[in-house]
Amino acid sequence: MKDITKLIRRFVSILLLSMILVIVLNIIILVVISASQMSNASPYTTARETAEALQETEAGYVLSGDMTERLRRENAWAIYMDNNTLEVKWHTENLPETIPLRYTASDIARFTRGYIDGYPTYTGEAENGLVVVGYPKDRFWKHMSPSWDYDFIKNAPYTLLAVIGMNVFLIFLIYMIANSKLLKSVKPITNGIQALPSGEPVYVREKGLLSGLAAKINQTSDILQRQKRNLQRKETARANWISGVSHDIRTPLSMVMGYAGQIEDNESLPESERKKAGIIRQQSMKMKNLINDLNLASKLEYNMQPIHPKPVNLVAAARQSVVDFINLGMEEKYPIEWDTDEALTACVINGDKELLKRAIGNLITNSQTHNPDGCRISVRARKSDTEYQIIVEDNGIGVTDEKLEELRTAPHYMMSDSGTAGPRHGLGLLIVGQIVSAHKGTVSFDHGKQGGFSAVLSFPVPSDDHIQ
C-alpha cells in the first residue's frame, strides 16, 4: 500500500510540475511574441518626439530629417493643428486625402482616444498647437473606453488566483479520471510482486491496462511453485535416503563391533590380533557416531527432530557434559576442566537438555579430534543482562585464519580440507549450529586466548513468563 501511495504522489508531483512548466513556458512564449510584434518605440513616444522635432521657421513648419525618415519607415503620417484656429497648419506629404484639415473640440476629444477615419492616432503636445501622428488602419488596435471598476482592479489578484486554482483543480480532476484505470491496475500488480518472495502462490487478474504484466507475474509464480515442489521432493528424497542408509548400516555395523569386541577380549588370541580387533571396534564406533551425526543433522535441517522445550539449566547441562566425558575415561593428554564461577548456578532457558548436552559434547570431541598430541580443554558458563554463554576452548594447535573464515561462513560437513586425509571441522560443528539455532541462539568461532580454538554458544535471556 505504501508503494501505491508513493506512486500516486509521484503522479501528482509530475502533474503539478508539468502545469508549472506549462504556465512558465506560456508566459515566456507570450513575452517573446509580444516583443517581436511591438515596434521599437511606443506610438505615443513617436508622437511626442515628432512634436519636439517640428520647428517653426520663416518659411513655415519644418520636421527634422531623422524624424521624417522614421515616420516614412513606419508608413505613418502626421499633422500639426493650431490651438487657436483648430486648423491644420502642417502635414506630411503622405497624408491620406480623407483626413480633414479642420477640427472641432469634440473631434479632438474623439481622435485623442480613438481614430480619424479609421486610422489609429496618437497626439503629442507642440508649441502653440497639437501634433497628431496616424498609422495604417491595420497597425494598432485602440481601446475606446479604458475605464475599469475600482473594485474589479482591487480584487484582480484574488480573481486571478481563483481562476488559476479552478483551472488547476479541473486539470487535476481530468488527470485523475484519466489515470484511475491505471491506478486500479497498478495496485494488484504491486500486491502480487510483494507476495512473490513469500513463496506462496500468487494470482493477479489479467485485465486492465497492465494485463500483460499481470500474466508475467502469474507465470513467474507458477515457475517458482514448480521449483519449490521439485526442491521439496529432492530434499525429502535426500532425507529419506540418509535415514534409510543409516538404518540399514546400523545392524551390520553392530555385528562388526560385537565380533570385534569378542576378538579383542579373547585372551587366547595373540596380542597383535587382539589389537587389530580393538582398532576395528574403535573405527566402527567412529562410523556409528558419524552415521548418527549425519542422521541427526538431516533431521534438524528439515525440522524432523522433535524438540520438547522444558526449563533447562545451561550451567547444569554443561557441567554434566564435562562429567560424562571424565567418566568415560578420557586420555590423560586431554585434561578437561570446569572453569565457571561457583556463584553462577543457574542460567535457565526453554530447551531440549539432551540436544544441548550433545552440542557441548560435540565441541569437546572436536577439540580432541583436532589435537592428536593432546590439549587442555576448558568449559565455562557466563551470564550477562541479555544473554547466557557456554564457552568451550582449548590450547591446542588452533585453526588458521582462512579456515576460521570458512567455519564462520559455511560450517558444514561438505567443507573440503584441500584433499588432506587429516581431521577436519565439519559435521559435528554443523550439528552444534543447528541445535543452538533451534534454541534461538547463535554460535561464534574464534582463536582461543592461548592460541587454540574457541567456540561460544550464546542464548538470549528469556523473560520470566517464557519459563514455565
Side-chain angles (χ1 to χ4, degrees):
M1 196 62 189
K2 291 182 179 179
D3 294 334
I4 296 295
T5 304
K6 186 185 297 184
L7 183 63
I8 294 176
R9 284 203 304 265
R10 181 176 178 85
F11 281 167
V12 173
S13 300
I14 294 175
L15 173 63
L16 295 177
L17 180 60
S18 301
M19 288 191 295
I20 294 174
L21 292 177
V22 167
I23 293 174
V24 172
L25 181 62
N26 287 335
I27 294 175
I28 294 174
I29 293 175
L30 179 62
V31 170
V32 171
I33 293 176
S34 300
S36 64
Q37 294 186 353
M38 272 186 182
S39 58
N40 293 332
S42 167
Y44 292 101
T45 302
T46 301
R48 177 177 55 79
E49 293 177 351
T50 300
E52 294 174 352
L54 186 64
Q55 302 293 327
E56 185 179 5
T57 65
E58 294 181 355
Y61 290 93
V62 178
L63 186 64
S64 65
D66 293 341
M67 202 66 224
T68 299
E69 178 62 21
R70 181 174 172 181
L71 292 176
R72 186 190 64 78
R73 288 198 308 268
E74 297 186 10
N75 198 22
W77 50 264
I79 61 175
Y80 169 72
M81 187 185 309
D82 182 67
N83 283 338
N84 295 325
T85 62
L86 301 182
E87 293 180 355
V88 175
K89 300 295 185 179
W90 170 89
H91 61 81
T92 57
E93 297 180 354
N94 61 342
L95 182 69
E97 296 180 355
T98 57
I99 301 301
L101 299 178
R102 186 179 182 84
Y103 296 89
T104 63
S106 60
D107 293 335
I108 295 173
R110 184 172 60 256
F111 70 66
T112 297
R113 70 173 189 271
Y115 302 81
I116 297 178
D117 192 30
Y119 294 92
T121 54
Y122 303 88
T123 59
E125 184 179 355
E127 185 177 357
N128 299 322
L130 183 68
V131 171
V132 180
V133 176
Y135 286 86
K137 295 181 179 181
D138 57 355
R139 181 66 184 277
F140 295 107
W141 177 83
K142 298 181 71 176
H143 185 32
M144 300 293 290
S145 302
S147 298
W148 305 92
D149 184 85
Y150 178 79
D151 290 335
F152 175 78
I153 298 298
K154 181 178 68 174
N155 296 323
Y158 306 104
T159 303
L160 179 62
L161 290 176
V163 171
I164 293 176
M166 287 187 291
N167 279 274
V168 168
F169 175 76
L170 180 61
I171 294 175
F172 179 77
L173 184 62
I174 295 174
Y175 178 83
M176 292 303 296
I177 293 175
N179 288 279
S180 59
K181 291 185 177 180
L182 176 62
L183 294 176
K184 290 180 180 179
S185 300
V186 166
K187 184 176 180 180
I189 294 293
T190 304
N191 293 338
I193 294 175
Q194 291 176 339
L196 282 177
S198 67
E200 298 298 324
V202 174
Y203 176 75
V204 181
R205 294 184 62 185
E206 300 176 10
K207 62 179 296 185
L209 298 176
L210 301 177
S211 58
L213 183 56
K216 294 298 182 182
I217 293 176
N218 293 335
Q219 294 175 9
T220 302
S221 177
D222 293 340
I223 293 174
L224 292 176
Q225 291 302 309
R226 286 197 299 270
Q227 292 177 344
K228 181 179 178 181
R229 289 192 295 269
N230 292 336
L231 181 61
Q232 288 176 340
R233 283 196 294 266
K234 291 179 180 179
E235 297 297 344
T236 301
R238 188 180 77 165
N240 291 337
W241 180 83
I242 292 175
S243 178
V245 170
S246 301
H247 180 271
D248 293 340
I249 290 179
R250 282 195 186 98
T251 300
L253 192 59
S254 297
M255 294 177 65
V256 171
M257 292 174 58
Y259 289 139
Q262 292 178 12
I263 296 174
E264 183 183 12
D265 295 335
N266 191 346
E267 297 181 356
S268 63
L269 294 175
E271 183 67 22
S272 60
E273 300 300 325
R274 293 171 61 188
K275 287 183 177 180
K276 292 179 181 179
I279 294 174
I280 293 174
R281 181 184 59 78
Q282 292 174 1
Q283 295 302 318
S284 298
M285 179 63 69
K286 289 183 179 180
M287 290 177 60
K288 181 179 180 181
N289 292 336
L290 179 61
I291 292 171
N292 291 336
D293 285 347
L294 183 61
N295 197 32
L296 177 59
S298 178
K299 290 181 178 180
L300 289 172
E301 183 177 356
Y302 300 109
N303 297 318
M304 298 169 61
Q305 174 70 25
I307 295 178
H308 306 289
K310 295 180 180 179
V312 177
N313 186 346
L314 287 175
V315 177
R319 184 188 295 112
Q320 184 62 49
S321 296
V322 172
V323 172
D324 290 343
F325 270 86
I326 294 176
N327 292 337
L328 287 175
M330 294 180 60
E331 298 181 56
E332 293 182 358
K333 61 181 179 179
Y334 296 113
I336 184 170
E337 58 184 23
W338 174 248
D339 185 18
T340 301
D341 188 352
E342 294 182 359
L344 182 60
T345 58
C347 295
V348 181
I349 66 170
N350 272 327
D352 190 312
K353 182 177 180 180
E354 294 304 318
L355 286 179
L356 291 170
K357 288 174 60 179
R358 178 68 176 274
I360 299 170
N362 279 10
L363 293 176
I364 297 175
T365 301
N366 183 76
S367 294
Q368 293 176 317
T369 303
H370 292 84
N371 295 282
D373 296 330
C375 66
R376 187 175 66 255
I377 305 170
S378 68
V379 180
R380 66 180 181 271
R382 190 164 58 188
K383 177 181 180 181
S384 68
D385 293 336
T386 58
E387 64 182 6
Y388 302 137
Q389 291 184 339
I390 302 297
I391 304 169
V392 180
E393 183 177 352
D394 63 60
N395 65 344
I397 61 175
V399 63
T400 64
D401 291 336
E402 293 78 7
K403 193 62 62 178
L404 185 62
E405 183 63 25
E406 291 181 6
L407 285 173
R408 289 171 174 170
T409 56
H412 55 77
Y413 58 90
M414 295 301 293
M415 207 169 57
S416 171
D417 272 344
S418 304
T420 61
R424 62 180 179 177
H425 300 278
L427 183 56
L429 296 186
L430 169 68
I431 294 175
V432 172
Q434 290 175 327
I435 292 175
V436 174
S437 177
H439 289 80
K440 311 303 181 184
T442 58
V443 180
S444 61
F445 305 113
D446 204 344
H447 299 291
K449 295 180 180 179
Q450 300 180 13
F453 183 73
S454 173
V456 180
L457 314 183
S458 301
F459 303 90
V461 175
S463 57
D464 294 338
D465 57 344
H466 289 165
I467 303 296
Q468 299 179 355

